[in-house]
Amino acid sequence: MMNKIERSPFNSSLESGVRSVIILHSLFPNSVDLHRLVDFDYLTVHSGDVNGPESLHAPLPMRAGELLVRREIVEKGLLLMMSRGLLTRIATDTGIEYMASDKSYSFVSNLASPYLVKLIERADWVAENFGEKSEVEIKVMVKGFFDHWTSQFQPVNARSGEMHE
């Protein structure tokens, strides 16, 4: 009997790495740290949450929780894409940041599937609308996602202001 390992491309280093290349390509020549890239990754697939184009991923009720688990996946994707020369890691005055390499242009310009074309459009939209925002502005916006998300864990009567003795 053959021991078969099936791997899903979803939430993998490959999926996350391709998305990171596209996002950093849209931000080029700017670089961003891992924290901001995780935020931009969320905004790219859930652009509808911030009055942008229709989200690429389904609007699941607990989707803000994705921000908590994406960091490790995004980091693994960055390492994969750096090993292929599509991204570079640079040291800045504020820490380690990531940037699209020269090779990313030919990689991204050859992506043609309908999903990836929409992903490129969303990444361009995120870069245009949030690329120049300050760290504080992004933090306030992301905190709003978490506040909404954590309120979903509270009983309905607690959300409406009723108190229990």
Side-chain angles (χ1 to χ4, degrees):
M1 179 175 255
M2 191 172 176
N3 187 8
K4 198 173 176 182
I5 298 175
E6 292 186 32
R7 294 184 181 198
S8 170
F10 302 110
N11 294 319
S12 67
S13 301
L14 178 61
E15 179 192 27
S16 176
V18 169
R19 208 163 42 232
S20 291
V21 169
I22 291 170
I23 293 167
L24 290 169
H25 176 76
S26 294
L27 292 166
F28 189 82
N30 295 329
S31 59
V32 295
D33 64 12
L34 179 60
H35 186 78
R36 184 167 265 217
L37 185 57
V38 170
D39 291 342
F40 284 176
D41 182 76
Y42 179 89
L43 293 172
T44 299
V45 296
H46 294 292
S47 52
D49 287 1
V50 284
N51 301 320
E54 180 183 356
S55 296
L56 287 174
H57 292 184
L60 300 174
M62 304 291 189
R63 64 187 172 280
E66 293 175 22
L67 285 163
L68 300 174
V69 297
R70 280 184 190 240
R71 184 181 174 94
E72 183 180 344
I73 296 169
V74 170
E75 193 167 20
K76 287 180 180 177
L78 288 169
L79 293 173
L80 176 63
M81 295 301 147
M82 284 190 301
S83 74
R84 302 302 183 258
L86 294 168
L87 300 176
T88 59
R89 182 172 32 198
I90 56 175
T92 69
D93 293 340
T94 57
I96 302 297
E97 294 189 352
Y98 300 90
M99 179 182 210
S101 75
D102 293 340
K103 291 180 181 177
S104 72
Y105 177 78
S106 58
F107 177 78
V108 172
S109 61
N110 281 298
L111 299 174
S113 76
Y115 176 83
L116 290 173
V117 168
K118 288 180 181 178
L119 184 62
I120 293 167
E121 291 169 358
R122 299 317 187 269
D124 287 344
W125 182 83
V126 168
E128 183 179 322
N129 288 281
F130 301 102
E132 299 298 326
K133 298 273 186 196
S134 72
E135 185 178 330
V136 172
E137 290 173 305
I138 298 293
K139 190 178 284 187
V140 167
M141 182 179 58
V142 171
K143 183 181 179 313
F145 296 147
F146 274 110
D147 289 346
H148 177 72
W149 180 57
T150 55
S151 73
Q152 293 173 340
F153 286 104
Q154 298 175 10
V156 173
N157 54 1
R159 282 187 263 163
S160 65
E162 292 180 23
M163 300 293 288
H164 293 280
E165 295 182 33

